Amino acid sequence: MKRVLILGATGQIAQWVALDLGQHADVQQTLLLRNPRKLSGREPANAQVVIGDVLDKKLLRQVMVGQDIVYANLIGEDLDKQARAIIAAMQACGVHRLVFVLSLGADFGAP
């Protein structure tokens, strides 16, 4: 069983990742998100939803325990602080795999 922690789970790309991972019986997901109003109601059966912020060090370590992979899909002016908090929690919990996706500087508007 692989355990995947998805940070920023209501982000557009993160939702696609969670839905895809939801099709795998050998995966258990933990979805961490700040705003429960952004939940779609279509969260996979293999997902546990946790409401909170990656800058909450205590909560981040709690959800990090036992994870195999961390997928971070975050935004904000404080990405450096978020990244440091994630890495510190990963090191404290012995998690070694991180996928960090962001669209910083991407322009999706029409030319």
Side-chain angles (χ1 to χ4, degrees):
M1 178 76 63
K2 287 286 182 190
R3 296 192 60 202
V4 180
L5 173 59
I6 300 181
L7 306 174
T10 55
Q12 186 175 9
I13 297 170
Q15 288 181 45
W16 293 338
V17 170
L19 287 174
D20 184 64
L21 291 175
Q23 299 177 34
H24 299 274
D26 62 338
V27 173
Q28 177 61 45
Q29 303 180 70
T30 302
L31 310 178
L32 180 66
L33 54 121
R34 288 184 291 192
N35 187 349
R37 292 179 297 209
K38 290 187 176 182
L39 288 168
S40 69
R42 297 181 304 133
E43 290 71 33
N46 69 346
Q48 171 192 7
V49 174
V50 177
I51 308 302
D53 193 298
V54 298
L55 294 177
D56 180 338
K57 292 178 183 180
K58 182 179 178 184
L59 175 65
L60 189 57
R61 284 191 183 189
Q62 287 174 348
V63 297
M64 190 72 65
V65 171
Q67 301 293 343
D68 297 299
I69 302 168
V70 176
Y71 175 90
N73 188 169
L74 304 169
I75 61 170
E77 298 291 323
D78 57 355
L79 284 173
D80 58 328
K81 290 180 184 175
Q82 293 179 54
R84 283 194 294 273
I86 293 164
I87 291 167
M90 289 177 68
Q91 289 174 335
C93 297
V95 179
H96 303 287
R97 292 191 173 108
L98 171 64
V99 176
F100 203 112
V101 177
L102 51 95
S103 58
L104 187 64
D107 183 3
F108 297 106

